[in-house]
């Protein structure tokens, strides 16, 4: 298993740094976030060290996603939440602080104001299609 000496989540996965665990198998770990933004805020990580989502092998993502799917309902129900967000920050521009890929399960209650800014806008004519073309080109390489 790949690990990185200075990585806090590798330390947690290896049992060297304490955490409040909610689920564990050979390759995936879920534990309570130490700085929650709502009650029940849970983190799900692959135990192996990958910095970003796009660096994770497909099978690692599949295993992690399966655990997220299994846990999301119980996490929300445990705190009487009406819903939940699943969030994965990638890169410091996107708010990633811990550089070991992780998924936040964030229980939500109506009107809780947890994400009260969603800066939606409208593309000018043709821009969405131009970006879509670039994405499809990148997918080929
Ligand atoms: P990011 O901003 O990188 O997506 O989120 C990192 C998350 O990890 C934060 O919500 C933060 O509270 C949590 N976190 C950072 N260090 C620790 C730790 O040592 N233990 C636990 N349980 N959570 C941590
Ligand atoms: Zn790590």
């Amino acid at each position: 298993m790949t690990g990185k000496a200075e990585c806090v989540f590798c330390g947690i996965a290896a049992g060297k740094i304490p955490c409040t665990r909610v689920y564990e198998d050979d390759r995936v770990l879920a534990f309570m976030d130490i700085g929650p933004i709502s009650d029940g805020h849970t983190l799900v990580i692959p135990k192996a060290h990958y910095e970003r989502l796009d660096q994770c092998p497909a099978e690692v993502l599949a295993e992690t996603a399966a655990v997220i799917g299994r846990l999301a309902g119980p996490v929300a129900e445990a705190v009487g939440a009406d819903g939940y967000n699943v969030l994965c920050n990638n890169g410091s521009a996107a708010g990633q602080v811990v550089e070991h890929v992780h998924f936040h399960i964030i229980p939500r209650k109506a009107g809780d104001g947890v994400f009260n800014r969603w800066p939606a806008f409208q593309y000018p004519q043709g821009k969405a299609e131009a970006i879509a073309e670039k994405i499809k080109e990148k997918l080929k390489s």
Side-chain angles (χ1 to χ4, degrees):
M1 182 163 300
T2 48
K4 217 176 159 195
E6 70 276 19
C7 173
V8 64
F9 285 178
C10 282
I12 286 175
K16 293 177 187 157
I17 297 172
C19 72
T20 304
R21 286 166 195 245
V22 295
Y23 173 87
E24 181 169 20
D25 63 37
D26 286 350
R27 290 176 297 274
V28 182
L29 173 67
F31 53 99
M32 305 306 285
D33 193 303
I34 207 171
I37 60 170
S38 70
D39 278 349
H41 184 166
T42 299
L43 299 174
V44 184
I45 64 168
K47 288 184 173 178
H49 183 91
Y50 301 97
E51 191 174 321
R52 292 183 180 219
L53 183 72
D54 56 278
Q55 295 164 347
C56 277
E59 64 273 17
V60 172
L61 283 180
E63 289 165 350
T64 308
V67 172
I68 294 168
R70 234 179 112 187
L71 270 176
V75 166
E77 285 161 23
V79 294
D82 307 320
Y84 55 86
N85 296 100
V86 173
L87 179 67
C88 178
N89 299 325
N90 290 270
S92 58
Q96 185 177 18
V97 174
V98 178
E99 292 177 337
H100 178 131
V101 69
H102 54 280
F103 295 84
H104 300 255
I105 302 175
I106 302 163
R108 298 295 306 279
K109 293 184 180 172
D112 63 14
V114 167
F115 294 115
N116 55 9
R117 207 174 104 78
W118 187 269
F121 65 93
Q122 289 198 321
Y123 284 122
Q125 184 78 24
K127 189 169 179 184
E129 293 78 5
I131 295 171
E133 283 309 314
K134 276 192 192 166
I135 295 169
K136 288 190 274 184
E137 274 308 307
K138 297 279 177 196
L139 258 178
K140 288 183 201 159
S141 56

